[in-house]
Amino acid sequence: MASKKAEDYPRPDFVREHLDWTSLNGPWDFIFDDEDVGQLAQWQKTGLPDSVAVNAPESAADQSEAERITQNIIGGIVQIQKGNLFKGDSGSKTNEKRKINVPFVFQTPASGINERGAHEVLWYERPISDIRTSKAKENHNRLFLRFGAVDYEAIVWVDGQYVGEHQGGHVPFEIDVSDVIQEAPGHSRLTVRVRDSTYDLTQPRGKQYWAAEPESIFYTPSSGIWQNVWLESVPTARIADSSHGTVLRSNDIESGELHAEIAIQGRRSGQKLKVEISASFAGIPVSSQTEDLPREVDTVHFSLPMRLSSSQQKQLPSEWQSSLSDPISFSSGLALWSPTHPNLYDLTLRLIDPTTSTPLDTVHTTTGMRSLSWTHGSGTILLNSRPLFQKLCLDQGYWSSTGMTPPSASALERDIRLAQSMGFNGCRKHQKVEDPVFLHHADRLGYLVWGEMANGYKFSAEYCARFDAEWDAAVRRDVNQFCVVCWTPVNESWGYTDLKGDARQRDQIRGLVSRTKVVDGTRPVNDNCGWEHVVDELSTFHDYADGEALGKTCSTLEGILGDKAGRNMFVGEIRDGEGRVLDKGARHREGAPVLCTEMGGVNITPAGKEGSKDWGYTTASDPEDLVRRVESLVMGAVKGGHICGFVWTQLTDIEQETNGLYDIERKEKLDAKKVKAILDEAERLYHRLLEERQK
């Protein structure tokens, strides 16, 4: 198997200088294990069978609780189907081994299977080879098997030998297979068993539905391997990525320093090592520092100066010279990152053997110097000390033939450019931890991103343990992506069914906020997007009213802070039977930023499709009517002078939810230039109102 080029590498934010990897995407053997007999039959040792009998007809699970939860979430917006259950077969059948095109899930056409039934246990198998060169083996390089994401539980074997397992459907994991892969020429056999419950509502699942047909705001499930899989040869002692401890804090524009914590993996006990970090801008070296790796810990801290000196500024290419006097682009020699000026520094991280001065590992990445401030009491979020108006779209990342998996890396960049062409300066990635390539492009293109995780729907100790672990992993994976400007762990109280009266559920969300702050205190945390906030960092609300009604709500702060969808914006006190306060609740903090983080959701009902499942929160008659509604809603929300940003639902249609500005194939449904003109005018209005308020 030939190694791939660096530009195809699944983690373009963290690329080794001597990159040696190979993709495992493509055809795998695959079989449904509906009776869950594979482990008992030891398929991991014998190989997948050509077929397996399914003797007992599958019976539909009791969905009464799930139906109640669904109806509670959608609030009567759309009438859910009765009896929308996965049906069992009337008699015995046989599941055949067949090919699946990884990383596309079996529910999608791109997988080559395109089956929508309830299959909870899946088996994958393919040959793999040791890609390490003779020199790499002499240097004791390790061979890692890496998965971008597998939904939901995975157990992995090589040649029948257990090598590892993982739980969590949206975050990456890796397994060292160096000591089990065959040394002799030929192939080893890689086997993966996946379990993804159709019905378990304590499993973080986001918009993946638990019924037979997608409806309302819920979509076709995505089971199994759905992001990139690859093998990679790495040095034994190596620089760790963000998931394993390397953090690049680029928020200190006042001092002009990058505060870096470089973590090292694979170090022998007592091994002496040096770590070097260097920065350049537009090809001009800016600064470099080298430190000894302490004996007692495997992390080195740096404060790297990032300002360009006068002589360095003079060396910049001619196209940069005019930017030096632009305060949005540069500040006292410091290149700033923003949506209008996405200035990037190139970073090189080196791990060095001090006895020979030989680099053991070299990693290339980027950073953008930018600061965020949201606690100063002016009702604004400041980016680089300037008020930021966030014009965001709700982006759920679905495609017609590939589901949650992008059809290509370029498809992720295309979605960003499509949003920017309509005037959006960012997105709220909704109920999904998107492929890292998306964030790489967002960094390059100056596109703001709100990071979010898939929620579950039933509160329990099991759910809390599952969600906490996966949320922590998601934050750590993306902490160095400077396009990310906010974290959103919970949406609309999903998974927290009694925040009004259960202090445990409140404490769980507060714990999520605290855990996030331990890893990253440089970004705000939107604790519970939409309503029932338990902390006062941001006041975010959801409102799908039409333009006139939304404008009336947003005309006063009292209107904004009123109940939404029958829920309080902030939770109140909880008292026991004797009147003692068990939980003091929360309230809007004076001067806290206010954002409408879901609005719009307008569809166009095409002629001849009246009465179909296709829907929106409100309906336009034609493209021009949709333009008018966009203007009415956006300007109505902004003109009250209280919000500092909004999230428009949504960027694209998804299955039956046809309220995108583009259809599912990314064809625009209205004139993009007209939408951009509206959003640009809304931004100008925001700044005019802010100036008047501050006089």
Side-chain angles (χ1 to χ4, degrees):
M1 291 180 286
S3 296
K4 300 293 183 179
K5 296 179 180 179
E7 55 264 31
D8 299 324
Y9 184 60
R11 290 300 303 266
D13 57 310
F14 192 87
V15 179
R16 288 194 153 81
E17 188 164 283
H18 301 291
L19 185 62
D20 187 9
W21 74 288
T22 190
S23 173
L24 298 182
N25 294 345
W28 291 50
D29 287 336
F30 177 85
I31 194 167
F32 295 125
D33 185 10
D34 295 332
E35 296 285 324
D36 197 9
V37 298
Q39 282 184 284
L40 292 174
Q42 296 195 330
W43 291 354
Q44 67 272 23
K45 293 185 177 180
T46 63
L48 302 189
D50 291 332
S51 63
V52 59
V54 181
N55 297 313
E58 181 185 306
S59 58
D62 180 6
Q63 288 286 73
S64 56
E65 181 182 30
E67 287 185 0
R68 287 196 301 272
I69 291 173
T70 304
Q71 197 62 64
N72 184 55
I73 289 171
I74 66 176
I77 298 168
V78 178
Q79 184 62 44
I80 66 170
Q81 302 176 61
K82 293 296 183 183
N84 185 12
L85 305 175
F86 289 103
K87 302 297 192 298
D89 294 305
S90 58
S92 63
K93 70 182 185 74
T94 299
N95 286 331
E96 305 288 341
K97 181 173 71 175
R98 44 190 154 171
K99 294 293 184 181
I100 189 169
N101 186 22
V102 168
F104 305 112
V105 298
F106 74 82
Q107 294 98 334
T108 66
S111 71
I113 295 177
N114 195 25
E115 188 169 319
R116 304 295 179 96
H119 301 287
E120 296 189 323
V121 181
L122 322 170
W123 287 74
Y124 296 77
E125 193 169 82
R126 65 157 292 155
I128 58 172
S129 294
D130 192 340
I131 64 170
R132 291 174 294 178
T133 64
S134 297
K135 183 177 180 181
K137 291 178 181 179
E138 289 175 6
N139 291 335
H140 305 290
N141 275 29
R142 308 303 293 175
L143 183 66
F144 275 86
L145 172 64
R146 292 187 161 144
F147 294 86
V150 180
D151 203 349
Y152 173 68
E153 298 169 346
I155 306 176
V156 184
W157 299 267
V158 173
D159 292 328
Q161 182 172 338
Y162 170 84
V163 292
E165 60 187 278
H166 181 262
Q167 183 184 82
H170 284 74
V171 292
F173 64 99
E174 63 182 28
I175 298 172
D176 188 339
V177 297
S178 309
D179 300 327
V180 296
I181 200 162
Q182 291 182 15
E183 290 283 344
H187 294 304
S188 288
R189 180 167 42 85
L190 170 63
T191 308
V192 182
R193 175 191 180 271
V194 177
R195 183 178 184 275
D196 183 26
S197 174
T198 303
Y199 307 107
D200 185 356
L201 299 184
T202 68
Q203 179 178 305
R205 61 196 311 125
K207 292 295 194 77
Q208 300 179 57
Y209 203 23
W210 45 84
E213 294 185 24
E215 59 182 331
S216 180
I217 62 171
F218 298 103
Y219 316 127
T220 299
S222 183
S223 302
I225 299 171
W226 69 277
Q227 287 191 21
N228 291 293
V229 188
W230 71 101
L231 281 169
E232 184 171 353
S233 172
V234 299
T236 299
R238 60 195 179 276
I239 298 165
D241 62 16
S242 60
S243 293
H244 298 90
T246 290
V247 179
L248 307 172
R249 304 194 190 281
S250 60
N251 62 301
D252 190 357
I253 66 171
E254 184 174 344
S255 72
E257 293 179 336
L258 175 73
H259 301 292
E261 301 169 16
I262 310 300
I264 304 302
Q265 292 178 286
R267 176 197 198 183
R268 299 193 313 273
S269 179
Q271 183 180 11
K272 293 183 178 180
L273 296 169
K274 287 182 177 292
V275 180
E276 177 186 278
I277 181 171
S278 59
S280 64
F281 183 82
I284 306 302
V286 177
S287 61
S288 180
Q289 291 180 352
T290 304
E291 296 287 346
D292 292 328
L293 185 64
R295 178 180 175 83
E296 66 277 9
V297 294
D298 292 331
T299 304
V300 182
H301 297 263
F302 294 93
S303 291
L304 186 69
M306 303 294 278
R307 296 190 192 278
L308 281 73
S309 66
S310 297
S311 62
Q312 289 169 335
Q313 293 176 41
K314 291 177 182 178
Q315 297 175 51
L316 288 174
S318 57
E319 61 266 24
W320 284 101
Q321 294 301 319
S322 60
S323 299
L324 292 170
S325 59
D326 183 345
I328 298 177
S329 185
F330 276 83
S331 175
S332 302
L334 182 69
L336 301 176
W337 184 93
S338 69
T340 56
H341 297 76
N343 296 328
L344 302 181
Y345 285 87
D346 292 311
L347 300 178
T348 301
L349 315 178
R350 288 190 177 89
L351 181 64
I352 300 169
D353 181 349
T355 61
T356 62
S357 299
T358 303
L360 301 177
D361 192 20
T362 302
V363 169
H364 299 287
T365 186
T366 59
T367 196
M369 297 298 293
R370 59 102 184 98
S371 68
L372 292 165
S373 176
W374 61 94
T375 60
H376 40 78
S378 67
T380 61
I381 294 177
L382 303 182
L383 175 66
N384 302 333
S385 303
R386 295 174 180 273
L388 171 66
F389 185 65
Q390 298 192 60
K391 304 173 292 181
L392 311 180
C393 59
L394 195 75
D395 182 354
Q396 305 194 65
Y398 276 76
W399 289 263
S400 61
S401 64
T402 61
M404 291 175 62
T405 307
S408 64
S410 61
L412 294 165
E413 179 180 1
R414 183 188 181 204
D415 276 4
I416 294 174
R417 293 191 181 277
L418 288 174
Q420 289 177 324
S421 72
M422 284 193 173
F424 294 102
N425 60 10
C427 74
R428 178 182 161 210
K429 265 294 174 182
H430 188 41
Q431 289 298 293
K432 179 186 185 186
V433 181
E434 189 57 274
D435 190 301
V437 174
F438 178 86
L439 299 177
H440 169 71
H441 289 307
D443 285 340
R444 289 192 309 107
L445 298 173
Y447 193 64
L448 308 172
V449 178
W450 284 35
E452 190 169 332
M453 235 298 286
N455 293 142
Y457 295 92
K458 185 177 180 181
F459 185 81
S460 69
E462 176 71 9
Y463 173 64
C464 293
R466 287 172 162 182
F467 188 84
D468 284 2
E470 200 164 352
W471 175 248
D472 287 354
V475 172
R476 290 181 185 279
R477 192 200 77 170
D478 297 340
V479 69
N480 293 336
Q481 309 295 154
F482 38 96
C483 62
V484 177
V485 294
C486 185
W487 300 112
T488 300
V490 182
N491 178 67
E492 293 184 348
S493 306
W494 292 357
Y496 302 87
T497 52
D498 187 19
L499 286 172
K500 185 176 182 178
D502 190 341
R504 299 174 309 148
Q505 296 188 22
R506 298 180 180 189
D507 287 341
Q508 164 64 12
I509 296 179
R510 292 183 184 120
L512 286 170
V513 174
S514 297
R515 295 164 73 98
T516 306
K517 293 294 187 183
V518 169
V519 178
D520 176 29
T522 71
R523 299 170 173 97
V525 180
N526 178 24
D527 65 320
N528 183 16
C529 196
W531 46 67
E532 290 192 312
H533 293 283
V534 300
V535 298
D536 62 3
E537 192 152 344
L538 300 177
S539 294
T540 62
F541 68 100
H542 297 172
D543 195 326
Y544 284 106
D546 62 19
E548 182 178 354
L550 182 62
K552 182 178 180 181
T553 295
C554 294
S555 65
T556 66
L557 188 59
E558 291 74 17
I560 290 172
L561 298 178
D563 290 358
K564 299 290 181 293
R567 313 283 185 96
N568 296 329
M569 271 286 287
F570 286 83
V571 295
E573 284 187 346
I574 298 176
R575 294 178 178 268
D576 65 13
E578 298 180 3
R580 290 173 296 200
V581 175
L582 301 179
D583 187 283
K584 65 180 181 180
R587 59 187 299 178
H588 171 72
R589 173 174 50 84
E590 185 177 356
V594 178
L595 300 97
C596 183
T597 45
E598 285 187 29
M599 59 179 286
V602 185
N603 76 327
I604 304 173
T605 300
K609 293 196 71 175
E610 295 83 356
S612 72
K613 290 198 306 178
D614 295 353
W615 72 282
Y617 291 89
T618 57
T619 299
S621 58
D622 55 42
E624 286 304 312
D625 185 30
L626 181 53
V627 171
R628 288 190 293 270
R629 288 169 182 263
V630 171
E631 182 174 25
S632 175
L633 284 160
V634 170
M635 300 307 290
V638 175
K639 68 182 181 182
H642 297 287
I643 70 168
C644 61
F646 65 87
V647 178
W648 180 272
T649 302
Q650 61 181 325
L651 182 62
T652 71
D653 292 348
I654 304 173
E655 296 185 326
Q656 74 285 344
E657 190 174 354
T658 55
N659 50 26
L661 298 174
Y662 295 91
D663 69 16
I664 189 67
E665 305 301 341
R666 277 52 179 176
K667 179 181 178 182
E668 67 180 40
K669 296 160 67 174
L670 70 175
D671 190 330
K673 293 180 180 178
K674 291 181 179 179
V675 178
K676 185 177 186 302
I678 293 167
L679 269 56
D680 289 349
E681 177 56 32
E683 184 172 16
R684 289 190 290 269
L685 175 60
Y686 165 76
H687 287 292
R688 287 199 302 270
L689 294 172
L690 182 62
E691 289 175 5
E692 292 173 4
R693 195 168 77 225
Q694 293 177 341
K695 286 180 180 178

